[in-house]
Amino acid sequence: MTVKPVNPRTVPSVHLGPDQVARGPLPERVSMEPVTEGAPYAAERTLLDGPDGFFALWACDAGVYPRVKDRRGSFMYILSGDATITDADGTSHELTADSVLVLPYAWQGTWQIRETIRKVYLHTTPVPPLPGAPVPCAFTPTEQVLHTPLPGGRAVLFDGPDGRCAVLACEPGSAAPTEPGRAVFLHVLDGEATVTDADGTRHELTTGSTAALPSGWTGTWDVHRTLRTLAIHSTPRQDTP
């Protein structure tokens, strides 16, 4: 993926096509510590790392992994695999292809991966006020993600300090699903569109592709066939001096 030089006043989008999302190489190695059992490392490909969040493709083989979300929240779309996610209170959910999982700041629990999980995900910096006690995950099963009707063009799956996650329908001629001061990260469930950055760079969005429109992005958005997307809106990190 090549990022072209742009006017410093503009911010380019990031795009990865469906073949690369589903089967492309993941060249980075990431420690999975703490590990109860199983693979000690995951594989990853960073797509965007900046104030809006850390956006990447990721895959990990079978294992059991306890986790505490004490720095940031995570939004993820499961591309393939089979796993169980269990909250600290014992509530569990089955992760399969096309399901959506949100692990908010303050979540605690365990991953049990049975068949290699591949996902596209976003880490965000939560916006205060932050929860003071463990919180449950937010899980949306495959059938609901892919087929639930979208009254008003959207179905909100999660909305909290970490960001908002929704399934959106964008009809031909509609504007990009951006909001002032916020980034939007998209995984295309169905449909076709062209995104054109301010410098004229064009990206084709098709079923299975992934894109990010960072805060400050400008350009045009041309929907050719109704888009159904998983869309995550995040608020940029506010760095302190």
Side-chain angles (χ1 to χ4, degrees):
M1 180 175 58
T2 302
V3 178
K4 296 183 178 181
V6 296
N7 185 307
R9 293 190 297 273
T10 68
V11 180
S13 63
V14 174
H15 174 266
L16 200 63
D19 289 343
Q20 289 294 304
V21 171
R23 293 174 291 277
L26 307 176
E28 303 157 37
R29 191 166 76 159
V30 182
S31 173
M32 287 298 291
E33 290 293 337
V35 179
T36 300
E37 62 179 73
Y41 294 96
E44 189 164 79
R45 177 176 179 178
T46 301
L47 303 179
L48 181 70
D49 186 6
D52 296 307
F54 180 83
F55 191 44
L57 287 170
W58 179 97
C60 185
D61 294 335
V64 178
Y65 307 100
R67 289 291 181 268
V68 175
K69 304 297 291 185
D70 57 1
R71 292 190 302 145
R72 53 197 182 184
S74 298
F75 298 79
M76 58 198 77
Y77 180 86
I78 306 301
L79 298 164
S80 58
D82 180 60
T84 300
I85 193 85
T86 304
D87 293 340
D89 67 359
T91 303
S92 63
H93 304 281
E94 301 306 310
L95 305 184
T96 56
D98 303 309
S99 57
V100 171
L101 177 67
V102 182
L103 302 180
Y105 174 88
W107 177 84
Q108 299 180 21
T110 303
W111 283 80
Q112 181 178 3
I113 300 175
R114 290 178 291 275
E115 177 186 333
T116 302
I117 286 288
R118 187 178 177 104
K119 67 183 183 182
V120 58
Y121 78 98
L122 173 70
H123 283 323
T124 64
T125 301
V127 177
L130 304 179
V135 298
C137 71
F139 173 73
T140 308
T142 299
E143 184 68 20
Q144 185 176 342
V145 173
L146 297 181
H147 302 298
T148 294
L150 304 178
R154 72 175 55 208
V156 175
L157 309 181
F158 176 87
D159 194 357
D162 307 282
R164 185 175 66 248
C165 177
V167 177
L168 302 180
C170 299
E171 301 296 334
S174 62
T178 54
E179 297 181 7
R182 304 186 84 183
V184 60
F185 299 83
L186 303 167
H187 183 74
V188 180
L189 307 175
D190 189 40
E192 297 176 4
T194 300
V195 175
T196 306
D197 294 338
D199 70 348
T201 302
R202 292 163 58 92
H203 304 286
E204 301 303 321
L205 296 183
T206 57
T207 302
S209 60
T210 286
L213 306 181
S215 55
W217 176 84
T218 58
T220 60
W221 172 271
D222 186 11
V223 178
H224 311 300
R225 181 168 64 86
T226 300
L227 277 182
R228 188 181 178 104
T229 67
L230 176 71
I232 305 160
H233 288 86
S234 72
T235 300
R237 180 181 67 240
Q238 300 300 308
D239 293 319
T240 55

